[in-house]
Amino acid sequence: MSKNINNLNEMEEDPVDNSKKSSRNSESDQPQALAYTGNHEVRTDFKPRVILDRDWYAICHLLQRLFMKAHINCMQMADLIIMQNFLGSVIYQCESDGIESDIDDDIYEGGIIYGVITVLNITAKKDMPCVQQLRSFIIESAEKYASDDIIKKFVDILDDTSRPIAYLINERLIHVPAEFSIGLLENLQIETDVAKKNGMKFDFAYYLTIIKLYRREARDGKPKEDFYSSAEEEFLARKAINSIEYSMPDDSDKGISGDWLEVEDAPPPYRKMLLFEASQMSNIIMELRQQIQENK
């Protein structure tokens, strides 16, 4: 049994204000976890914008939430994302009180973001240290958790430089509606097609993404329950041509995600690496939009 997370204020509500970021070259510039533990409800709207230099700190933070203790240089990965800011979007927030323009300007300048969507070519950039670390992490996870045929599939795909792989980054805090994210995924497809037509290295054979979930194991006659962090991720997991699932019992994100994991019986975190044929991504996103609309 699986469930989408609809109301987890204790799990992941911790907007990051990257206006406090110091110089990137400083050793003290390691992104630190911020947590929201309140229960106040605020009416808000979410909007997209292009990725800017000042988003670096917040993007690091969102990546750290995904990789947790994995040895991946999130700071360098954030640099790569910002260097190709003609692709992708970040999500920011404004209050719904009828005076949109003033609030929009304040938040736009303040640097608070609630999500990031983009792709990285992990074939063309395979010599970058953070991409090397990601590729190694994928193989190590496969060798530890997957069957021999799945291991071979992932190794063969990563080694085949003639068929590039896109690492799809779709990270956001849980109170951003799924419909909003789907629109940005559709826009990312358009931006990728434009970049490809302009001769840039975005002609992908595969998309790889990593999704977050929490699992309560079966017990006392009750089946196991999976809680997906984002509403669309359960659907994406069903559409993948291959996947690797791994648990992260020692990588508690307490302190990053509020007080969810302070609950005594909190479900442990899991991750799934999902692999898709690039030629199918547009259809998958279209089907996803239809399903989300039907479930509203």
Side-chain angles (χ1 to χ4, degrees):
M1 179 182 296
S2 61
K3 293 183 179 180
N4 291 326
I5 298 177
N6 294 319
N7 185 21
L8 295 181
N9 288 338
E10 296 90 353
M11 182 182 287
E12 290 188 340
E13 287 195 15
D14 57 324
V16 177
D17 184 348
N18 63 3
S19 63
K20 297 178 181 179
K21 180 175 74 69
S22 60
S23 169
R24 284 189 214 169
N25 296 324
S26 171
E27 289 295 327
S28 63
D29 202 14
Q30 293 282 350
Q32 300 298 314
L34 303 178
Y36 170 73
T37 57
N39 294 313
H40 299 290
E41 292 186 3
V42 180
R43 293 184 60 200
T44 58
D45 285 333
F46 295 96
K47 292 192 173 184
R49 62 166 170 80
V50 297
I51 299 168
L52 302 173
D53 284 357
R54 63 171 171 267
D55 299 323
W56 180 87
Y57 182 94
I59 291 172
C60 288
H61 178 73
L62 288 166
L63 293 172
Q64 283 187 327
R65 296 168 64 91
L66 177 66
F67 294 120
M68 300 171 86
K69 293 182 181 179
H71 182 60
I72 295 174
N73 188 333
C74 294
M75 294 182 291
Q76 187 180 70
M77 190 171 288
D79 283 336
L80 292 180
I81 291 169
I82 288 171
M83 283 191 291
Q84 57 168 46
N85 64 359
F86 53 87
L87 278 183
S89 307
V90 294
I91 300 167
Y92 75 105
Q93 182 184 49
C94 63
E95 296 181 20
S96 303
D97 61 0
I99 50 174
E100 180 176 313
S101 60
D102 292 340
I103 293 174
D104 282 2
D105 289 343
D106 289 344
I107 291 180
Y108 188 91
E109 291 300 325
I112 299 174
I113 69 170
Y114 288 75
V116 59
I117 295 179
T118 190
V119 291
L120 291 176
N121 187 334
I122 63 172
T123 301
K125 297 184 181 298
K126 62 184 177 65
D127 294 328
M128 293 291 297
C130 66
V131 176
Q132 290 177 342
Q133 292 164 354
L134 174 62
R135 290 165 65 95
S136 296
F137 178 66
I138 294 167
I139 298 303
E140 290 167 5
S141 298
E143 291 173 345
K144 186 174 181 179
Y145 296 102
S147 60
D148 290 343
D149 59 328
I150 298 296
I151 296 170
K152 185 177 186 308
K153 180 70 171 178
F154 274 82
V155 170
D156 288 348
I157 286 173
L158 285 169
D159 287 346
D160 186 358
T161 57
S162 68
R163 293 174 61 78
I165 307 172
Y167 170 42
L168 172 62
I169 299 167
N170 179 29
E171 284 301 304
R172 71 181 192 275
L173 303 184
I174 56 95
H175 54 318
V176 179
E179 304 96 295
F180 192 90
S181 181
I182 293 165
L184 294 185
L185 286 170
E186 291 169 336
N187 191 62
L188 179 61
Q189 287 281 294
I190 295 170
E191 292 173 338
T192 303
D193 287 342
V194 170
K196 182 170 57 176
K197 289 176 183 177
N198 288 333
M200 300 180 183
K201 294 181 178 180
F202 293 99
D203 188 6
F204 300 118
Y206 299 98
Y207 277 81
L208 181 140
T209 192
I210 302 174
I211 65 173
K212 299 182 292 188
L213 66 147
Y214 297 79
R215 174 169 297 159
R216 180 166 286 125
E217 299 294 346
R219 66 179 182 182
D220 299 329
K222 297 180 180 179
K224 76 174 183 179
E225 293 180 287
D226 286 348
F227 301 85
Y228 286 81
S229 291
S230 298
E232 72 272 18
E233 292 182 341
E234 182 179 0
F235 175 87
L236 292 175
R238 294 199 302 268
K239 292 294 184 177
I241 60 171
N242 273 297
S243 65
I244 303 168
E245 179 181 290
Y246 55 99
S247 62
M248 309 184 78
D250 298 325
D251 287 349
S252 170
D253 45 356
K254 174 179 172 182
I256 295 180
S257 49
D259 59 4
W260 169 265
L261 293 180
E262 294 177 16
V263 178
E264 182 178 348
D265 193 32
Y270 280 73
R271 299 289 185 267
K272 284 185 180 180
M273 294 179 184
L274 308 178
L275 189 66
F276 305 91
E277 295 276 2
S279 60
Q280 296 301 311
M281 282 303 293
S282 293
N283 290 335
I284 290 171
I285 294 171
M286 182 173 63
E287 289 180 39
L288 173 59
R289 175 176 285 282
Q290 292 172 349
Q291 177 165 312
I292 293 294
Q293 289 174 343
E294 289 171 1
N295 291 340
K296 287 177 67 175

